[in-house]
Each structure stands twice: as structure tokens, then as C-alpha cells.
Amino acid sequence: PMTTPAPLSLPVTYDLTCAALPHIRANLDVTPLSRSIGLSAITGRDVHLKWDNKLITGSFKERGAVNFLCHLREAGAVPAVCAASAGNHALGLSFHAKRFGVRCVLVMPKSAPLVKVQSCERNGAEIILFGDTFNDAFTHAQELCAAKGYTFIPPFNHPLIIAGQASVAHELLEQSADFDSVIVPVGGGGLLSGMITVLRAMRPDVYIMGVQSSWAVMYRDSGWSGLPKLQPMTIADGIAVKQLGDITGPIIKAGADKLVSVNEQETAAALIQFLEREHAVVEGSAAVTLAALNAGHLPGRYKKPVLMVSGSNIDVNLLARLLGREMSQRDRLLRLRASLPDRPGVLHFLSGVIANEGANVLEVTHDRSFAREPGNVEITLVLEIRDAAQKGRIISLLETSGIPVSVL
């Protein structure tokens, strides 16, 4: 398990989480808690959402960063802080380090989303892109701290970070007593550890479920033996951590009722549900809580879950790809290929058949060099359609018009 140098050696206790509250309340707004009518209808439970993506950098990670910076400021001047992060910890730390007038050096994996890298740069941080995974960046950041005397601020595996993240549980208890379970994303485990520390002290009856990405579980269980550049990616990059910390791990093992994982397909579908039902853009690591609920991981007797919405920092290009994929799976997009004689008027005829059915042509590609039939052109079309019934009618109309097509 990872270990991290610490300016203070503290046990993670309920009292430590209470000590963090003045720091949090002086620097951060309380995030909303709301009931989701749409998700309640879908899941058959009374679903509430704790919107930590509403913090100014779009993630709960600000809580731990603020608490740690406040302790450093109280202890004396700090020449520079340094962190390793896939994105959200870096965003929160860089924003508040600038507010506190502290130099901030960030080591991020090369795969970190561009939107997060650029945002950290706008916050005045010095960015170093290193390695293919969070663990690579983590090791390099610790080496920098040892060489240059920076103060290392870990993303999750430190009592002050855990105590800062725990403030969300204090807020939740102040906002509502009418919940019987919480579902929390798990990467390195800082957020879940903090919530466990508070809830086990104040509401031991609450069922606590942590949700990991199946990507992280795969690496934890078996590792990756292939080429680094061919490692599978995850859309839940915010929790793409290979192992829990040596502080967070035991807290989770002792205090969580259940630890589950969800795959990429489940996460993508939940992300789109947030967009449709809540009109909210969330990142993959936040969508895993809804994915776990959809997958039936929460025992049926718990009817009033709170889902932690941990962040919204998703790359726009990734969001566009996920929307396109979802449109295709719902029969709202159709890709066809037709092989036709390469002569004037053929495309006009083909598009006319499609237009008569009311479909919209989004893309057209002509391929002559690789056409299977000499003298033919292969035409690939991407169509915007209404539903599966219209899809069937279009294919039938084309074929009865003498145009054989294949669906791609």
C-alpha cells in the first residue's frame, strides 16, 4: 500500500473531522442535497443526491486540500506544495494554493484529461506530465519533494485529507436525517474513509456502500502485463487508482458494509442518465454511484439512499463520444453502407429514398479505391433517426428500391 510523508502524525478520528469543519466552512460553501424525482422513478427508491460537484473546481477534492493547506498555514510559511493527481485533487489544490499565496507544483499522468490540465494551469500551478498512470505520477512527485524540499500533499492517504473530505458527511447530517444508506465513489478511498468516520460515530445504522471502477479492480487483482501504451482506459478517471492507501484501506475494510465495482458500460449509461434526468453533467467517477444502484448492488431493504455526486470535470470530447455511442445504442443513429454503380444521380436517388422516410443525413463517405465491386462506389451514411421502427423501414425501403445495404 502507498505511504505518504506527513507534516503531522494524527489518528483518523471523529474529533479530527470536527476540527476540520472551521477550515472548511471558512473557505467553502455548503453543497446542495436534493431529491431526484427522475432517478427515484427509475430505481424505485427515494433517491437523494449530494452535489459536491457544485464546489468551485467541480469536485469534492477541495475539502481535503483546504484542510491540509489551513494546517500548513497555521504551522508557518511553506515554500511550495506538490501533489500527484489524475485531475480533481490537482484542481482543488491549485485553486486554493493560489488563494493562500502558496506555490503549487503538480505531477499529472500523461493521460490526465486536457480540461483538467488547462484548468490547473489557469490556477497558476506548475504542471509536470509524467508517466502513464496515477502511480507513476505519485512516485515522481514524491521524488521531487525529496529533492527540492516541497511539502507533499497526497490526494487521499493522509489524516488531514480524510478529515477534510469527511466534512461532506457532517453537512449531510445537518441537511437530512431521512436517509438509510449512502453510495460513495472509491478511488484511493479518502472520501469514503472520511464519511465512514463520521457516519459510524453519528449514524451507525446507515448502510455504507463504496463503488469502484472495474478497471481499478482488474489492476489490483491481476495487474497489466502488456505494453504500457496499450493499457485499457477508463472513463472513470477520477477513481482510476490501483490500490487503497495504507490509512484509507483499513478504515474502509472495518467500516464499509459493501465494496462493489461497476464496468465501463454501466458507468457510461449512468452518466447519460444524469444528463437526461437531472440535466447535470457529471464525470465518470461520479456516475458510478448511480451505476451501482442501477445494477442492484444496494440491498432491497434500503429505500432512501444518498448518492454522492463527486465531480463534474469530464472532457468535452469524451462526453461527445459517449453521447454518440448512446444515441447509436438507442437506435437514434444509424450507419449504413451501400455499394452502388459510380455514376451521376446515384447519390441523389439514395438520399431521396432516405429523405422520404424523414431521416436526417449527418455524414456521407464515398470510397472508390477499396470498393468490393469494380466500377462501384461504396457509400457510407450516418443517419439521425427516431427509433428502431424507423430504422427497419429505412432498410426495407432501400432494399425494395434495389439498393442492398449493410448496417455497420
Side-chain angles (χ1 to χ4, degrees):
M2 297 178 190
T3 56
T4 56
L8 296 170
S9 179
L10 299 166
V12 181
T13 63
Y14 175 74
D15 288 343
L16 185 66
T17 72
C18 293
L21 289 178
H23 298 148
I24 302 303
R25 288 170 174 165
N27 291 280
L28 302 178
D29 293 331
V30 173
T31 57
L33 176 72
S34 66
R35 181 177 186 271
S36 173
I37 296 173
L39 298 182
S40 295
I42 290 172
T43 62
R45 317 207 195 200
D46 189 15
V47 178
H48 283 70
L49 303 170
K50 178 62 172 164
W51 296 100
D52 251 33
N53 62 328
K54 300 298 183 182
L55 290 169
I56 196 164
T57 64
S59 164
F60 77 96
K61 288 285 189 176
E62 289 184 41
R63 297 177 182 274
V66 162
N67 191 43
F68 205 114
L69 287 169
C70 286
H71 274 266
L72 290 178
R73 185 169 60 180
E74 291 169 355
V78 181
V81 295
C82 179
S85 172
N88 284 335
H89 178 56
L91 284 169
L93 179 61
S94 61
F95 180 82
H96 291 286
K98 184 178 181 180
R99 288 182 59 237
F100 287 13
V102 176
R103 180 187 172 198
C104 182
V105 180
L106 299 173
V107 184
M108 305 175 79
K110 295 175 183 177
S111 59
L114 181 61
V115 63
K116 296 181 182 180
V117 175
Q118 292 174 334
S119 295
C120 290
E121 288 175 334
R122 286 195 295 270
N123 289 338
E126 301 169 36
I127 308 298
I128 299 170
L129 297 177
F130 185 91
D132 295 310
T133 67
F134 167 78
N135 287 49
D136 297 333
F138 182 93
T139 301
H140 188 63
Q142 288 193 310
E143 292 169 351
L144 277 177
C145 290
K148 298 183 178 290
Y150 301 152
T151 298
F152 183 74
I153 301 187
F156 54 84
N157 197 45
H158 190 282
L160 294 178
I161 296 294
I162 295 168
Q165 318 300 31
S167 61
V168 71
H170 284 282
E171 288 182 10
L172 178 58
L173 291 172
E174 292 168 0
Q175 290 169 317
S176 174
D178 192 24
F179 64 96
D180 59 15
S181 51
V182 294
I183 307 179
V184 186
V186 183
L191 177 60
L192 182 57
S193 296
M195 296 192 73
I196 285 171
T197 303
V198 174
L199 293 175
R200 286 291 171 250
M202 301 302 293
R203 284 286 308 276
D205 59 301
V206 169
Y207 188 88
I208 302 174
M209 185 168 77
V211 188
Q212 301 173 295
S213 163
S214 58
W215 181 96
V217 175
M218 175 189 72
Y219 278 94
R220 196 170 302 157
D221 291 346
S222 61
W224 171 257
S225 58
L227 296 173
K229 290 186 180 297
L230 298 181
Q231 289 182 356
M233 299 296 291
T234 174
I235 61 172
D237 58 275
I239 54 173
V241 181
K242 292 183 180 180
Q243 58 190 17
L244 300 173
D246 59 358
I247 299 174
T248 60
I251 295 172
I252 291 170
K253 183 177 180 180
D257 291 290
K258 193 175 186 181
L259 202 59
V260 302
S261 64
V262 292
N263 62 37
E264 299 297 293
Q265 292 75 23
E266 292 167 329
T267 303
L271 191 151
I272 299 300
Q273 278 186 318
F274 268 109
L275 192 60
E276 287 185 323
R277 296 288 179 160
E278 291 298 317
H279 313 292
V281 174
V282 304
E283 59 189 85
S285 57
V288 298
T289 55
L290 177 57
L293 187 60
N294 288 336
H297 290 300
L298 185 67
R301 65 183 179 276
Y302 296 103
K303 302 298 185 183
K304 297 180 178 182
V306 172
L307 277 58
M308 282 299 305
V309 186
S310 55
S312 286
N313 295 308
I314 186 170
D315 184 85
V316 176
N317 292 324
L318 172 60
L319 181 59
R321 292 196 296 272
L322 293 176
L323 284 169
R325 178 180 177 274
E326 186 71 14
M327 291 278 283
S328 174
Q329 290 187 331
R330 296 185 184 186
D331 287 319
R332 299 295 301 278
L333 291 179
L334 173 61
R335 190 156 64 115
L336 298 173
R337 178 180 294 155
S339 182
L340 297 168
D342 189 10
R343 64 170 67 105
V346 167
L347 180 59
H348 175 73
F349 178 72
L350 175 62
S351 62
V353 175
I354 292 168
N356 287 338
E357 179 50 40
N360 186 32
V361 178
L362 300 179
E363 296 177 19
V364 179
T365 304
H366 291 70
D367 188 350
R368 293 174 174 83
S369 300
F370 295 93
R372 286 165 290 184
E373 294 294 330
N376 272 19
V377 57
E378 290 197 350
I379 302 174
T380 302
L381 304 102
V382 178
L383 310 178
E384 184 180 24
I385 59 175
R386 290 189 293 272
D387 50 33
Q390 188 182 37
K391 171 183 175 179
R393 289 195 300 271
I394 290 171
I395 294 170
S396 178
L397 278 171
L398 291 171
E399 290 179 343
T400 57
S401 299
I403 305 172
V405 295
S406 54
V407 178
L408 305 179

